[in-house]
Amino acid sequence: WCLLLLRRQKKTASHAVTELENTKDCSQAGKPLLCPSHPTEELQLFCEQCDQPVCRDCVLGRHRQHPCDFTGNVIHRHGDTLRELLKSSQQHMDTLEDVLSQVDEMGSAVRSRAEAVATEICLFARGYVKAIEEHRDRLLKQLEYLKVQKENLLHLQKAQLQQLLLDMRTGVEFTEHLLMSGSDVEILVTKGMVSSRLTKLNSIAYSTHPSVDDRIQFSPHERAGQCCGYEVFGAILNKVVDPARCTLHGEDLHSARQNQLSSFTLLCKDTTGERMGRGGEAVWVTITHKDKRDCAVKPTVCDNGDGTYCISYNPEEPGLYAVCVCVKGQHVQGSPFTLLVKHKFREHQGVFHCCTFCSSGGQKAARCACGGTMPGGYRGCGHGHKGHPGCHHWSCCGQVKESSECLCGPPSDTSQRSLLRTVAL
């Protein structure tokens, strides 16, 4: 294949090819190398342009215009080049041998590390399985305890109800027998005792529903803490929300502002008064205007997932509202309640100043809502007057807190002109 390529190229088409082994044999034998193109001539010259040894006939012929020199004169330069390449190749060989050695070592390290990690995985898996099995046994034990507890409560309730039923049946049978078979005198004699007995039995309070329910759930995604050093999941949920124990909290529970987003929080608790700790309850909220039946606020209920619910609302009309908060169709603690929605925040129409004299530029007709006056015919306040001794206040309503709400309503034309003049000046 290489020979075919050499024949196809113009520069090397006429070159003769010698076997490397034959060249080696000739070199070892010390025989001179003959020109392939001129078999009788020895290769004693070197063509720099063609980078090959040539004979004298070649120099006179095809290499006439090429720079040529005797092989003895150029061998040192080309030999040095070969030696540099040889040195570089030897360095690469050393590097390759080192890399191959590192590759082998890394292969051994990978196999060793893989075996160690496999051991760790097996240990982890065995420990994890053991933790899961212990957590399973703990859950089953907890479930058995919960079942026995509920059954005991039901048995106790059943025994109490059966005794009450027996007492009532005995009292009823005795009373019916007395009324049917007893004489008038016997009825009148025993009437007090029988009435007292039946009245006492009728006054005994008892629950018309089972004392416990069958609500026992398993949540596989619930975090269950640590077991044998591993974090495990899965918990038994037996808490039941008690609307009567649920509470409402927040600053915006009983008062709010018109066109201002407000909110309060519902905290759900179970029958023992403990926080539920999870969401998912059916929460129903209504906010209705007491004077305008067709005016209602649509609240937004956000389940926080931890037993609390954020209830936000934005009332558009001021006035009194009736708020109902129910869980599972029952009112929570404090529901229903009244919500007062005030008018939107009133901005001050005046200026927050130290005195009317300064803010008006000394105008005598300028007034101030604080009611202070100055001597000399000034109708407004000055520094240190009675009621506002040097204290900054609003000229429109006299309040001393700069971030407060304006207390005055729409000002009259006269006061508005004087106050506006004060503001302008």
Side-chain angles (χ1 to χ4, degrees):
W1 174 253
C2 295
L3 181 61
L4 180 62
L5 292 177
L6 290 172
R7 296 300 185 195
R8 289 181 177 179
Q9 296 182 12
K10 184 176 180 180
K11 291 184 177 182
T12 59
S14 60
H15 292 183
V17 179
T18 304
E19 293 290 339
L20 186 60
E21 294 182 357
N22 297 336
T23 305
K24 183 178 180 183
D25 294 339
C26 294
S27 176
Q28 290 176 351
K31 295 180 180 180
L33 295 178
L34 299 179
C35 179
S37 301
H38 308 92
T40 60
E41 295 294 331
E42 184 179 354
L43 296 174
Q44 296 179 344
L45 300 169
F46 186 79
C47 179
E48 295 289 351
Q49 181 172 336
C50 299
D51 195 27
Q52 66 178 24
V54 295
C55 66
R56 290 178 297 175
D57 293 344
C58 292
V59 173
L60 295 176
R62 194 168 56 248
H63 299 273
R64 180 184 299 275
Q65 302 297 329
H66 297 175
C68 298
D69 199 353
F70 288 99
T71 56
N73 297 334
V74 299
I75 187 61
H76 64 282
R77 178 162 49 84
H78 292 278
D80 292 342
T81 302
L82 288 176
R83 278 186 285 272
E84 290 295 331
L85 289 174
L86 179 61
K87 183 179 179 181
S88 177
S89 299
Q90 289 175 343
Q91 291 177 352
H92 282 295
M93 290 174 60
D94 295 340
T95 302
L96 289 172
E97 290 177 355
D98 292 341
V99 173
L100 287 173
S101 177
Q102 293 178 14
V103 169
D104 292 337
E105 292 177 358
M106 186 57 66
S108 301
V110 168
R111 288 188 293 272
S112 300
R113 186 57 187 158
E115 293 176 358
V117 172
T119 303
E120 292 179 7
I121 292 175
C122 293
L123 291 174
F124 171 80
R126 284 196 292 269
Y128 207 177
V129 170
K130 181 180 178 181
I132 292 176
E133 290 177 348
E134 289 191 10
H135 182 52
R136 176 202 60 195
D137 297 339
R138 187 171 62 185
L139 288 175
L140 292 176
K141 185 177 180 180
Q142 180 181 354
L143 178 62
E144 180 66 20
Y145 175 78
L146 183 60
K147 183 194 73 170
V148 171
Q149 187 181 29
K150 286 179 177 287
E151 287 178 344
N152 290 340
L153 292 175
L154 290 174
H155 289 159
L156 178 61
Q157 184 184 20
K158 182 178 179 180
Q160 293 174 345
L161 293 176
Q162 287 176 340
Q163 184 62 44
L164 179 60
L165 178 61
L166 179 61
D167 293 343
M168 283 191 170
R169 183 177 286 118
T170 302
V172 169
E173 290 177 354
F174 179 81
T175 304
E176 289 178 346
H177 179 74
L178 177 64
L179 292 175
M180 292 178 60
S181 305
S183 63
D184 295 343
V185 176
E186 290 175 338
I187 294 174
L188 293 175
V189 169
T190 58
K191 177 183 73 69
M193 181 187 65
V194 172
S195 298
S196 176
R197 178 62 175 170
L198 291 179
T199 301
K200 183 178 179 180
L201 291 174
N202 291 334
S203 63
I204 296 177
Y206 59 92
S207 175
T208 57
H209 302 282
S211 58
V212 297
D213 55 23
D214 62 346
R215 182 169 179 174
I216 304 176
Q217 297 178 343
F218 175 68
S219 177
H221 303 293
E222 193 87 11
R223 292 182 180 272
Q226 296 283 330
C227 183
C228 299
Y230 296 86
E231 185 175 5
V232 292
F233 293 82
I236 296 176
L237 306 178
N238 64 315
K239 287 186 175 183
V240 180
V241 65
D242 186 358
R245 293 181 179 270
C246 298
T247 55
L248 299 169
H249 308 272
E251 296 180 357
D252 302 332
L253 188 61
H254 296 287
S255 63
R257 288 281 186 180
Q258 180 185 6
N259 295 328
Q260 181 176 326
L261 184 64
S262 305
S263 64
F264 57 89
T265 302
L266 167 65
L267 175 59
C268 288
K269 300 180 181 180
D270 63 3
T271 54
T272 62
E274 294 183 359
R275 181 170 172 172
M276 289 296 294
R278 56 182 173 83
E281 303 296 341
V283 179
W284 177 68
V285 182
T286 60
I287 304 177
T288 308
H289 202 289
K290 285 191 173 183
D291 298 328
K292 302 177 181 179
R293 295 299 178 184
D294 57 343
C295 179
V297 179
K298 186 178 181 180
T300 301
V301 180
C302 179
D303 188 349
N304 297 325
D306 57 356
T308 62
Y309 299 81
C310 180
I311 303 169
S312 57
Y313 60 96
N314 190 355
E316 297 182 356
E317 294 289 337
L320 290 177
Y321 287 78
V323 183
C324 296
V325 181
C326 299
V327 176
K328 290 187 175 181
Q330 301 181 32
H331 286 279
V332 301
Q333 190 177 128
S335 176
F337 60 91
T338 300
L339 169 66
L340 173 62
V341 176
K342 302 177 183 179
H343 287 275
K344 60 183 179 180
F345 192 86
R346 291 193 185 97
E347 299 289 343
H348 288 280
Q349 300 297 318
V351 292
F352 192 68
H353 61 179
C354 59
C355 69
T356 309
F357 180 82
C358 294
S359 61
S360 66
Q363 295 291 326
K364 288 188 175 184
R367 296 187 180 186
C368 183
C370 70
T373 59
M374 292 177 60
Y378 287 91
R379 304 174 67 182
C381 62
H383 291 287
H385 70 84
K386 186 177 180 180
H388 287 273
C391 179
H392 276 72
H393 57 280
W394 285 100
S395 62
C396 49
C397 63
Q399 286 213 80
V400 297
K401 189 175 180 181
E402 186 175 5
S403 60
S404 62
E405 180 184 11
C406 187
L407 298 180
C408 61
S412 60
D413 294 341
T414 304
S415 60
Q416 186 176 15
R417 283 196 299 269
S418 62
L419 291 176
L420 287 178
R421 178 166 50 160
T422 303
V423 173
L425 291 174

